[in-house]
Amino acid sequence: MEAEKVFMREAIRLSVQNVVSGNGGPFGAVIVKNGRIIARGVNQVTSSNDPTAHAEVVAIRNACKALGSFQLDDCQMFTSCEPCPMCLGAIYWARPDKVYYANTKQDAADINFDDNFIYDEIVLPIENRKLETIQLLRDEAQVAFVEWIKSTGKTEY
């Protein structure tokens, strides 16, 4: 568990540095493969004007670029805080072997990074959510799905 603590300390260091530098929120992440850090990420939401630029997503993007792959096989993620719903979804899609986190989602909520409203909304039927969501042109959109099923040159994921 000593190596894991070294990697987590790097994620924590990145989170502190991000706040001190004024570049974004107090979140950092590293991705490790074969016992070495292959990618780092910090929260860049405000510095890049990108609401998806959370530390975990940035680290995933950097790791996938470094590996030349859209999956993080045989990788572990170390993140300074329990992932939000968006990051958790991205992590599942990226498929690392394991995720370690330091602060909890309650710790984040205590400093006004509260994701509970998203967890509450996800379980509701679409018509009951606060964000008005309207289905439109499904029949036309189905063409892409039919083409996907027929395609022999696709890369499954």
Side-chain angles (χ1 to χ4, degrees):
M1 208 40 107
E2 282 310 308
E4 288 85 354
K5 289 179 181 178
V6 169
F7 299 134
M8 182 58 77
R9 285 186 179 111
E10 176 62 5
I12 293 167
R13 184 192 70 76
L14 290 169
S15 71
V16 172
Q17 179 184 33
N18 207 45
V19 173
V20 171
S21 70
N23 287 328
F27 305 99
V30 298
I31 297 177
V32 173
K33 184 169 184 161
N34 298 326
R36 69 178 189 88
I37 295 173
I38 61 164
R40 290 170 170 80
V42 294
N43 180 283
Q44 299 174 357
V45 170
T46 56
S47 61
S48 67
N49 293 321
D50 179 354
T52 69
H54 289 198
E56 297 91 337
V57 172
V58 171
I60 288 169
R61 290 172 182 163
N62 291 339
C64 288
K65 186 174 184 179
L67 294 172
S69 174
F70 55 85
Q71 289 187 206
L72 299 178
D73 297 325
D74 304 315
C75 292
Q76 302 80 44
M77 174 178 276
F78 294 81
T79 181
S80 65
C81 188
E82 185 176 355
C84 76
M86 177 188 69
C87 292
L88 188 59
I91 291 165
Y92 271 98
W93 281 115
R95 296 178 175 94
D97 293 344
K98 201 175 286 187
V99 176
Y100 297 86
Y101 68 94
N103 290 311
T104 67
K105 65 182 179 179
Q106 184 57 55
D107 294 329
D110 291 344
I111 62 163
N112 296 319
F113 287 93
D114 190 353
D115 300 319
N116 281 327
F117 75 97
I118 298 173
Y119 288 108
D120 293 343
E121 286 283 300
I122 286 173
V123 298
L124 295 175
I126 289 174
E127 63 274 6
N128 293 347
R129 294 180 186 164
K130 291 181 178 122
L131 177 62
E132 187 174 11
T133 307
I134 303 150
Q135 187 175 25
L136 187 64
L137 299 177
R138 179 177 180 267
D139 291 341
E140 292 179 30
Q142 285 288 301
V143 173
F145 285 10
V146 170
E147 289 300 317
W148 175 258
I149 293 297
K150 293 189 314 188
S151 175
T152 58
K154 64 187 170 205
T155 301
E156 301 264 354
Y157 59 98

